[in-house]
Amino acid sequence: MTAAPVTFMEQGRCKRLKAASSRDHDSVDQLVMAARPFQDRERYGRFLQVQYRFHGSLLALYQDEQLNRRLPGLVELSRFAAVEADLRDLGLPLPPRPHPVCASPTQALGWLYCSEGSNLGAAFLFKHTQRLGLDGDLGARHLAPPPSGRALQWREFVATLDSVVLDEQEEAEVVAGAIAAFDSYRAHLRAVFAEG
Ligand code: HEM
């Protein structure tokens, strides 16, 4: 007997989000590397500004009560405080707090997918910071693996996000949220690295 093919909607939500945003991911990945953020500490400091803007703009979502009911433990996952500590480690001033992103509660799920997924690629970035003499206790705290490990934390997040019940319209909003998150990351990256 041959197994029935898995239809698009039977795949988990995160699998669908990955498929819908893979081109955005690849372009962001390429832009990050083209910015040479690990060339020296000055450029890494700029990369921290990008992370500060992105994770700072998502802080209100991580702290949102309704979202924490949907995704228990969400508030613990924000990496913004670690980015702030990294800036302090490097002796860099903390910029003003970024404005919170504008997202509906359902779009927010897509933004959070993007932000949490970025913790997987962070393994690669974390290795590069070691060449700059940085690590999880100095300057690269926000890229260090979480205590439970990247893979387990991600699997738990995926399981929780996949289990949220949504209608078709809301599914589309989650995808729109994820794409908007990648767009915003790209915009922060371009803005910070274009500055003199
Ligand atoms: C040079 C920069 C980056 C590299 C090299 C990189 C690399 C990776 C790698 C290797 C994975 C794991 C793929 C897998 O296990 O299937 C991943 C996953 C992911 N990354 Fe990145 N990444 C980078 C930057 C980013 C950024 C800046 C974001 C978001 C703003 C991001 C969002 C994601 C997401 C959402 C996933 C999860 C994909 C899934 O659903 O499995 N990545 N990345």
Side-chain angles (χ1 to χ4, degrees):
M1 208 176 81
T2 50
V6 178
T7 69
F8 188 63
M9 285 311 280
E10 280 167 353
Q11 279 184 349
R13 176 170 299 121
C14 290
K15 284 252 158 53
R16 297 196 299 275
L17 284 168
K18 182 178 185 175
S21 62
S22 75
R23 277 179 47 183
D24 287 277
H25 180 272
D26 293 351
S27 82
V28 164
D29 169 346
Q30 281 165 21
L31 270 181
V32 171
M33 293 324 288
R36 292 173 280 111
F38 307 105
Q39 181 173 291
D40 52 41
R41 285 195 181 196
E42 189 274 323
R43 292 194 82 79
Y44 179 66
R46 289 186 187 221
F47 174 70
L48 283 180
Q49 303 284 340
V50 177
Q51 299 291 70
Y52 183 88
R53 292 182 188 195
F54 183 71
H55 291 284
S57 71
L58 293 180
L59 185 61
L61 300 187
Y62 278 94
Q63 293 175 337
D64 183 87
E65 270 182 39
Q66 190 190 341
L67 286 166
N68 273 274
R69 274 197 294 278
R70 277 187 148 176
L71 306 173
L74 178 66
V75 68
E76 310 295 331
L77 300 181
S78 169
R79 282 181 280 151
F80 183 61
V83 177
E84 287 183 311
D86 288 338
L87 280 165
R88 281 196 215 98
D89 287 343
L90 268 72
L92 295 169
L94 295 187
R97 278 277 170 105
H99 290 295
V101 298
C102 188
S104 71
T106 318
Q107 287 166 351
L109 299 175
W111 281 84
L112 292 166
Y113 159 82
C114 177
S115 170
E116 284 308 298
S118 73
N119 220 356
L120 295 178
F124 174 80
L125 308 184
F126 187 54
K127 281 200 189 117
H128 280 280
T129 63
Q130 287 160 21
R131 279 197 258 139
L132 300 173
L134 306 174
D135 58 30
D137 295 317
L138 183 84
R141 299 165 197 266
H142 83 286
L143 296 172
S148 62
R150 292 182 207 279
L152 180 61
Q153 182 170 300
W154 174 242
R155 276 203 302 277
E156 285 176 355
F157 179 80
V158 166
T160 314
L161 182 52
D162 279 357
S163 67
V164 175
V165 177
L166 299 174
D167 65 26
E168 210 174 305
Q169 162 71 30
E170 290 171 323
E171 291 293 352
E173 276 192 44
V174 183
V175 175
I179 305 290
F182 278 107
D183 280 348
S184 118
Y185 194 91
R186 244 192 316 263
H188 292 315
L189 196 64
R190 289 207 167 104
V192 169
F193 279 94
E195 281 166 11

